[in-house]
Amino acid sequence: MFAVAMLAILICMALLIARAFTGPTVFDRILAINSFGTKTVLLIAVLGFMTGRPDFLDLALVYALMNFIGTIAVLRFTRYGDLSAFDRVLEAEHHTDPNWP
Amino acid sequence: MTELMDVLLFLFLVITAFGIIRMRDLFAAVMMSGLFSLLSACLFMVMDAVDVAFTEAAVGAGISTVLMLATLAITKREERGDRRRVEPLPLLLCFAIGSLLIYGTLDMPAYGDPEAPVHTYMAPRFIEKSKAEVGPPNIVTSVLASYRGYDTFGETTVVFTALVGVLLLLGGRLRLRPSSTMDITMGVDLRAVKRRQAERRQAVVDPSAAGDDAAGDNGGAA
Amino acid sequence: MILDVLSWLLLSGGAVVLVLTGFLILRMPTFYTRLHAASVNETLGPALILIGLALQTGDYANGFEVLLKLLLVLVFLLLTGPVASHALAKAAITNLVMPGQFKRIQSQEQQERERKEQR
Amino acid sequence: MKHNRILRVPVKSLVPLIMMFGLYVQFHGDYGPGGGFQAGVIFAAAIVLYTLVFGLRRARRAISLRALEITVAVGVLLYGSVGFVTMMLGGHFLGYDRLAHDPLHGQHYGILLIELGVGITVAGVITALFFLFAGRGLRPATRERVEPEEDATLEESFEGAGAVEGTP
């Protein structure tokens, strides 16, 4: 029963890798890699149950977290070309705020 | 099922590696290396090396991608150089060393072989005695922190030294870099955009040129 | 027994969703349609599979802890997946223009420009 | 606060949870996977996430680079001083048996302390590295504020440029 889910996850991974390589735009690649991260989370969860030792779900949580951070960083980069250039936009937005540094 | 998983994950890994080599866009290569890292973390997980998988997931997939992106903002996004030219001498050297390495792996014990030197030298002692000598149920922690405490101290110092080096190179203060890093973003020439904006502003001030400018903008955009 | 059947149904349902949306991500023609498939892939598929796994935790000694962690992973995925999809769509809309949507974005830009000039 | 409200709200609630998860990994390393290094990375990842969404300047106001330098040094010193203390108590360098009456308890305290040292060092180093690398494009805080008029158009200039760029 877990084998079915595992097989589906592996097939989905293959399809996502194909999309990540053929992706015409940058955003297709980001989309594929973001989904791939979710698939690795699922793979770890299902793998734990397949081997009968579901003790390592901390790892799944770390994967989900790191995947999210990576996606946000990549999107910041594509949008502003720099990880800190976003600050200028924020600064312009807050130029009326006296507390803004 | 486990064999199928191993084969498929290794296949994905090899495909990703070749894809990264073939890629000219460095930004895409950074993202693909994130994918590579996720895949290798999965493989560590399948091999039951949980602590290694943890480290790989934490460092490789998230933080190293972020640091690479921060570096990429300082450099260019495209790889330079002509890649169709093949240098014969480096190629020969690579093939020679690669075949030597593969020849060397033939002498290595098979994966999971109980007679392998790794499993007969120190590991049984750690497994037997660590509970009585050190305590924690996770043997990796007891080896890392207690039996190999000097090594871990050295690693911590290495991490510390890395920061000292970066502080010396990049300086503690924020540098003044007006907009040169923005110019290479997404292939958008920001200077041209700014020039156009200035023209537009000029056109608002000077209504006689407004018609021409607006027409020019629309022509460029449509 | 009932839990087993339910869990089996959820797991196979999740598997079907994953494979179908995977094919859609590969085969859909434009970026936004792919994003549509991917957001289903990131929320519905994991939700079905993780709930299916959560129904199996009764067999283990530390079942409650595992159940708690599974639910934590599920909540985290359901929180971050849509946010990431939204950020992706927003970044795509500001940076890249699809064939059918070029006019709309351009008119928005013009509107904003006019608004600023009035100000 | 008109930018990225959808991103800000979940991230704002996630950051403390991630930090707590980092502490869990730090102190649960004896019993499960994890330890000082991983915990430090996760802790730093929370700060990186905050920086990505709320801007570098705001994060640097909360955590100054000077404080990070001190933190990193404190981590390494904590590790080293544990070894020094064990030597003072008559044992080997980093021989934790002497830290308590029972050798097992001593080992426990020793491992806890040095893992804490590793965690503090790694968290500080990664945060500082990110601040330094990401801050390369930023103007210095001491200079007068940039003209708001010019900056207000920056975002739109990106959008406009994107639209021009995307023309077939």
Side-chain angles (χ1 to χ4, degrees), chain C:
Chain C
M1 185 61 205
I2 295 171
L3 279 185
D4 265 357
V5 171
L6 203 60
S7 142
W8 193 85
L9 278 178
L10 285 170
L11 277 176
S12 47
V16 169
V17 167
L18 282 189
V19 172
L20 276 183
T21 50
F23 269 108
L24 284 181
I25 289 172
L26 192 62
R27 293 294 302 161
M28 277 290 198
T30 63
F31 169 71
Y32 293 104
T33 48
R34 279 176 219 136
L35 182 65
H36 173 65
S39 50
V40 173
N41 192 349
E42 274 170 29
T43 50
L44 184 60
L48 286 178
I49 286 191
L50 288 179
I51 293 174
L53 289 179
L55 293 182
Q56 292 280 333
T57 50
D59 302 345
Y60 298 96
N62 55 351
F64 184 67
E65 191 190 333
V66 173
L67 178 68
L68 211 65
K69 279 180 187 168
L70 272 178
L71 289 183
L72 209 60
V73 172
L74 181 60
V75 166
F76 196 86
L77 282 182
L78 287 185
L79 198 61
T80 57
V83 172
S85 293
H86 164 82
L88 188 56
K90 204 173 167 191
I93 261 187
T94 48
N95 276 311
L96 147 146
V97 179
M98 307 307 285
Q101 295 182 322
F102 175 62
K103 277 221 168 72
R104 195 171 61 76
I105 289 176
Q106 198 212 349
S107 67
Q108 268 181 1
E109 192 210 351
Q110 274 176 347
Q111 279 171 10
E112 290 201 356
R113 195 191 304 158
E114 282 167 11
R115 205 185 58 210
K116 202 163 64 217
E117 283 174 2
Q118 278 174 4
R119 198 175 57 194

Side-chain angles (χ1 to χ4, degrees), chain A residues 6-7 46 49 75 80 88 92 95:
Chain A
M6 182 60 89
L7 206 62
V46 177
F49 279 87
L75 289 175
Y80 302 106
R88 301 185 198 177
H95 67 273

Side-chain angles (χ1 to χ4, degrees), chain B residues 72-92:
Chain B
L72 206 59
I74 311 173
T75 60
K76 284 214 184 337
R77 265 191 64 180
E78 282 283 314
E79 191 176 333
R80 268 229 305 260
D82 189 11
R83 75 170 36 206
R84 271 165 301 181
R85 245 179 75 202
V86 176
E87 302 274 349
L89 188 64
L91 189 71
L92 199 70

Side-chain angles (χ1 to χ4, degrees), chain D residues 1-118:
Chain D
M1 281 283 169
K2 65 180 182 209
H3 273 289
N4 294 317
R5 192 173 286 133
I6 293 188
L7 208 54
R8 276 165 195 245
V9 174
V11 166
K12 205 173 213 171
S13 52
L14 271 181
V15 165
L17 289 180
I18 295 170
M19 286 181 166
M20 242 173 74
F21 181 63
L23 290 178
Y24 165 76
V25 172
Q26 168 85 50
F27 294 111
H28 198 254
D30 301 359
Y31 304 100
F37 191 86
Q38 291 92 333
V41 173
I42 291 171
F43 209 82
I47 300 171
V48 168
L49 183 62
Y50 182 84
T51 313
L52 285 174
V53 175
F54 290 92
L56 185 62
R57 200 153 275 175
R58 205 163 166 178
R60 286 185 67 142
R61 194 171 54 154
I63 307 166
S64 71
L65 207 56
R66 187 80 199 137
L68 281 177
E69 284 168 19
I70 294 170
T71 313
V72 169
V74 162
V76 178
L77 275 178
L78 180 61
Y79 201 131
S81 58
V82 169
F84 191 69
V85 166
T86 54
M87 270 168 76
M88 286 290 109
L89 291 174
H92 298 292
F93 184 68
L94 295 177
Y96 314 126
D97 289 354
R98 304 286 178 129
L99 283 177
H101 292 298
D102 184 10
L104 266 183
H105 284 180
Q107 290 280 352
H108 198 115
Y109 294 145
I111 288 176
L112 214 63
L113 281 174
I114 67 148
E115 291 277 6
L116 195 61
V118 174

Side-chain angles (χ1 to χ4, degrees), chain B residues 75-173:
Chain B
T75 60
K76 284 214 184 337
R77 265 191 64 180
E78 282 283 314
E79 191 176 333
R80 268 229 305 260
D82 189 11
R83 75 170 36 206
R84 271 165 301 181
R85 245 179 75 202
V86 176
E87 302 274 349
L89 188 64
L91 189 71
L92 199 70
L93 205 64
C94 281
F95 265 110
I97 293 176
S99 47
L100 267 179
L101 285 175
I102 291 174
Y103 176 71
T105 60
L106 294 180
D107 282 345
M108 274 164 58
Y111 171 67
D113 184 8
E115 298 299 316
V118 194
H119 297 134
T120 54
Y121 176 50
M122 281 303 273
R125 193 198 172 281
F126 288 150
I127 292 169
E128 280 165 18
K129 298 269 181 69
S130 84
K131 187 75 187 165
E133 283 178 354
V134 185
N138 186 1
I139 299 176
V140 177
T141 301
S142 60
V143 170
L144 207 69
S146 187
Y147 289 115
R148 295 280 178 263
Y150 279 24
D151 290 357
T152 314
F153 191 31
E155 283 161 21
T156 313
T157 319
V158 166
V159 173
F160 175 72
T161 318
L163 179 67
V164 172
V166 172
L167 273 175
L168 282 177
L169 285 175
L170 293 185
R173 291 185 300 115

Side-chain angles (χ1 to χ4, degrees), chain A residues 55-56 58-59 61-62 65-66 68-69 72-73 76 79-95 97 99-101, chain D residues 1-4 7-8 11 18 21 24 33 42 45 49 52-58 61 130 134 137-139 145-146 148 151-152 155 158:
Chain A
D55 301 328
F56 302 132
D58 301 353
L59 265 126
L61 211 55
V62 175
L65 162 68
M66 288 301 166
F68 182 60
I69 290 177
I72 297 295
R76 278 277 171 270
R79 194 143 176 223
Y80 302 106
D82 194 333
L83 292 179
S84 68
F86 176 56
D87 268 45
R88 301 185 198 177
V89 179
L90 279 180
E91 214 169 81
E93 184 186 314
H94 281 267
H95 67 273
D97 185 359
N99 294 324
W100 192 250
Chain D
M1 281 283 169
K2 65 180 182 209
H3 273 289
N4 294 317
L7 208 54
R8 276 165 195 245
V11 166
I18 295 170
F21 181 63
Y24 165 76
I42 291 171
L49 183 62
L52 285 174
V53 175
F54 290 92
L56 185 62
R57 200 153 275 175
R58 205 163 166 178
R61 194 171 54 154
F130 176 70
L138 201 66
R139 290 159 209 205
R145 193 166 294 135
V146 262
D151 261 33
E155 163 98 313
F158 263 103

